[in-house]
Amino acid sequence: MIELAGSDIGRWLAGYLWVFFRIGALLMTMPVIGTQLLPMRIRLYLALALTALVAPQIAEVPQLDPLALGTWVVIAEQILIGAAMGFLLQLLFQIHVLAGQIIAMQMGLGFASMNDPAMGISVAVVGQVFTMLVTLLFLALNGHLVAIEVLVESFTTLPIGETLQAVGFHTLVLRFSWVMASALLIGLPAVTALLIVNLSFGVMMRAAPQLNIFSVGFPLTLVFGLFILWVLLGNTAGQYHLLASEALIWLREMVGAR
């Protein structure tokens, strides 16, 4: 008959519990998997499956004591690490959402919004087009697998129970400027082209005041904006590759992975 002591059971549960909290926090916040497109039950099953694969590879973990304050501190640390990694990946998607919003405002489609099934909010149609395209690129280039690989490596670079001084959470604050600059860089060609169109309409209105430029200018601006958007989509893959490379490099730097 096999006899298990209380300490053995606590050590076994702790080995899986700490890992589950970090993995679950990432899967609940990262793009695609952490959105409303994937049911909560599927995310939970996926977190349990990854925990069952990763936990046996981790040697030393803190003892589990539900009544100790240190236990809840470790739980908070694991959730914070996983959520920070998922939030950094979310910034990559928000760049394209913001770029689509900027382009939509310039081409007269700022009022045309639709519900985003992933986030559960209303976004511009152009922003939703960019979001769907980036989602397909993220899955096609195995971005989700790279994120899980970095997560598994983080258990070596950031062992469970150690302090979070080595984690680069301060980089998240600096990335907001990166989001704005990258979104403007993506939308700058369309904004410049539409600005030239609007200036041309202004000159025409100045030269011929009797011409009802508003009834003609809005449809032309919309059609020309769609043409510019079609041209921009051809270079989206290259821009995404550069931005995704930067985001994944910063993700590795955050957890100290190589």
Side-chain angles (χ1 to χ4, degrees):
M1 182 176 180
I2 300 176
E3 296 183 359
L4 294 177
S7 59
D8 296 332
I9 297 177
R11 187 183 304 107
W12 181 79
L13 290 176
Y16 285 86
L17 187 63
W18 309 135
V19 178
F20 174 76
F21 279 117
R22 186 181 297 190
I23 293 177
L26 174 65
L27 296 182
M28 295 300 172
T29 55
M30 70 177 296
V32 184
I33 298 178
T35 60
Q36 298 181 5
L37 296 175
L38 199 66
M40 183 71 69
R41 183 177 300 176
I42 302 300
R43 281 180 274 175
L44 179 60
Y45 291 158
L46 183 58
L48 291 174
L50 290 176
T51 302
L53 293 175
V54 176
Q57 304 177 15
I58 300 176
E60 298 294 334
V61 294
Q63 287 290 334
L64 178 63
D65 186 2
L67 301 179
L69 179 61
T71 299
W72 298 99
V73 172
V74 174
I75 291 176
E77 288 178 351
Q78 305 314 305
I79 294 176
L80 183 60
I81 293 174
M85 295 174 63
F87 180 73
L88 182 57
L89 292 175
Q90 286 285 358
L91 294 181
L92 175 63
F93 279 62
Q94 296 307 313
I95 288 175
H96 296 83
V97 174
L98 184 58
Q101 184 70 35
I102 294 174
I103 297 174
M105 293 296 293
Q106 293 297 320
M107 63 185 296
L109 282 179
F111 63 89
S113 61
M114 62 179 296
N115 183 59
D116 185 2
M119 304 299 295
I121 58 176
S122 295
V123 298
V125 176
V126 180
Q128 185 65 16
V129 171
F130 276 100
T131 301
M132 291 187 293
L133 183 59
V134 171
T135 301
L136 294 177
L137 290 174
F138 183 78
L139 296 176
L141 298 178
N142 294 327
H144 56 298
L145 299 181
V146 176
I148 295 175
E149 179 185 358
V150 176
L151 174 66
V152 174
E153 193 173 352
S154 69
F155 288 102
T156 302
T157 57
L158 295 176
I160 299 174
E162 292 191 2
T163 60
L164 299 180
Q165 296 178 359
V167 185
F169 291 115
H170 62 281
T171 59
L172 290 177
V173 180
L174 301 178
R175 298 315 169 205
F176 286 106
S177 60
W178 170 67
V179 172
M180 294 297 299
S182 301
L184 290 175
L185 185 62
I186 294 175
L188 187 59
V191 172
T192 304
L194 292 172
L195 179 61
I196 295 175
V197 173
N198 291 328
L199 290 176
S200 302
F201 286 142
V203 173
M204 292 173 58
M205 186 176 179
R206 190 70 174 177
Q210 67 276 10
L211 181 64
N212 189 2
I213 198 65
F214 292 103
S215 60
V216 180
F218 180 75
L220 289 179
T221 303
L222 184 58
V223 173
F224 192 76
L226 292 176
F227 173 76
I228 293 297
L229 184 61
W230 173 68
V231 174
L232 286 178
L233 291 179
N235 195 34
T236 303
Q239 292 176 336
Y240 169 80
H241 185 269
L242 294 176
L243 295 175
S245 299
E246 292 185 33
L248 293 176
I249 289 174
W250 289 332
L251 183 64
R252 291 183 178 274
E253 291 179 352
M254 176 186 295
V255 298
R258 297 180 179 178

